[in-house]
Amino acid sequence: DLGPRKDYVLRIEGPAARDVADVFLRRWSFLISTGATYSENATPFTIDADPLPENGDARVQITATMPVPFSENAILETWYNAVRNARESIFIEDQYFRIPYLTGAIADRMALVPDLKLVVITKPINEWTDGGCYWTYRTVQELRTLFPSRVFVFQLRSFDTVVTWGIDETESRFTDIDTHSKMLIVDDTFLSVGSCNKNNRGVIYEGELNA
């Protein structure tokens, strides 16, 4: 009996979908070449390289974190670029909010743009279930100290009524929403969503994929 959960899923078509397949191909081929566990049962494959038609009016870039030996950090690079051009708002909805690699860029931009606001939706801090919660606390405190009237941190909750006994005895209840989202929106013009959390691990050390 799990509680409510918040997440996002994308459907990608056209050239961007091929870019996703290309990332998968590179990782798949590398694991076969290095003899990863069970790789003897894996089959090599190729991707059709013929040009694909570009439909629609959305500009899509597939970004990845691919650690050594690939050393690709395109997710962090696009986040840097978006934050450094922010004018009105930076919106983050994420399972985590402790990313020193990006926090400094956010603080620098907010200091430069007096009306820029930061809105963060994340999970509550819990020292019993989250070993890294200190860094969430530290990140929020640093930004709130610098910009006390322009940093907003929220938690998602859900409301329902429950029949407790009989036919009409009810209780009104709120419950926490398991925020599993990994989203960044800047000025309603830039959106990044995918598997990468707002922590250093996601942008440096793990294999992640965003659009």
Side-chain angles (χ1 to χ4, degrees):
D1 184 18
L2 301 176
R5 183 181 178 95
K6 182 74 177 292
D7 221 330
Y8 295 96
V9 176
L10 290 180
R11 177 188 173 104
I12 300 174
E13 299 179 354
R18 178 174 287 167
D19 292 341
V20 174
D22 178 68
V23 172
F24 181 82
L25 173 60
R26 283 192 288 158
R27 296 184 64 179
W28 182 266
S29 300
F30 170 73
L31 291 172
I32 292 177
S33 69
T34 56
T37 305
Y38 305 119
S39 60
E40 66 274 11
N41 302 319
T43 304
F45 70 96
T46 58
I47 297 174
D48 184 1
D50 292 338
L52 292 173
E54 296 188 11
N55 298 318
D57 57 2
R59 292 189 295 174
V60 181
Q61 179 184 7
I62 302 303
T63 55
T65 298
M66 304 226 311
V68 175
F70 302 100
S71 299
E72 182 172 334
N73 306 103
I75 294 175
L76 180 59
E77 291 168 7
T78 58
W79 289 357
Y80 266 135
N81 291 336
V83 165
R84 287 170 176 169
N85 287 280
R87 297 183 177 185
E88 297 178 358
S89 63
I90 300 171
F91 175 86
I92 292 173
E93 182 179 320
D94 205 286
Q95 179 180 4
Y96 301 116
F97 181 56
R98 44 175 181 261
I99 181 168
Y101 277 123
L102 191 64
T103 304
I106 293 174
D108 290 345
R109 188 62 180 173
M110 292 187 71
L112 192 63
V113 182
D115 293 330
L116 181 60
K117 295 178 176 60
L118 172 67
V119 178
V120 178
I121 296 176
T122 190
K123 286 185 172 184
I125 293 174
N126 188 326
E127 64 179 332
W128 298 105
T129 61
D130 181 4
C133 66
Y134 166 77
W135 293 103
T136 302
Y137 173 81
R138 178 170 170 174
T139 299
V140 172
Q141 289 302 109
E142 285 181 357
L143 291 170
R144 278 180 167 168
T145 299
L146 291 171
F147 315 104
S149 64
R150 294 191 283 143
V151 174
F152 308 90
V153 181
F154 300 104
Q155 174 192 350
L156 294 179
R157 309 197 78 195
S158 183
F159 172 80
D160 201 357
T161 57
V162 180
V163 177
T164 54
W165 59 275
I167 59 173
D168 62 355
E169 293 298 322
T170 61
E171 290 183 2
S172 299
R173 296 181 180 179
F174 287 90
T175 186
D176 294 344
I177 293 177
D178 182 5
T179 302
H180 196 251
S181 320
K182 294 104 168 56
M183 177 180 283
L184 169 68
I185 301 175
V186 177
D187 292 342
D188 291 337
T189 59
F190 173 86
L191 163 69
S192 177
V193 64
S195 67
C196 187
N197 284 303
K198 303 303 178 296
N199 56 15
N200 283 1
R201 192 178 67 203
V203 295
I204 300 294
Y205 305 112
E206 296 178 332
E208 307 286 1
L209 202 63
N210 274 39

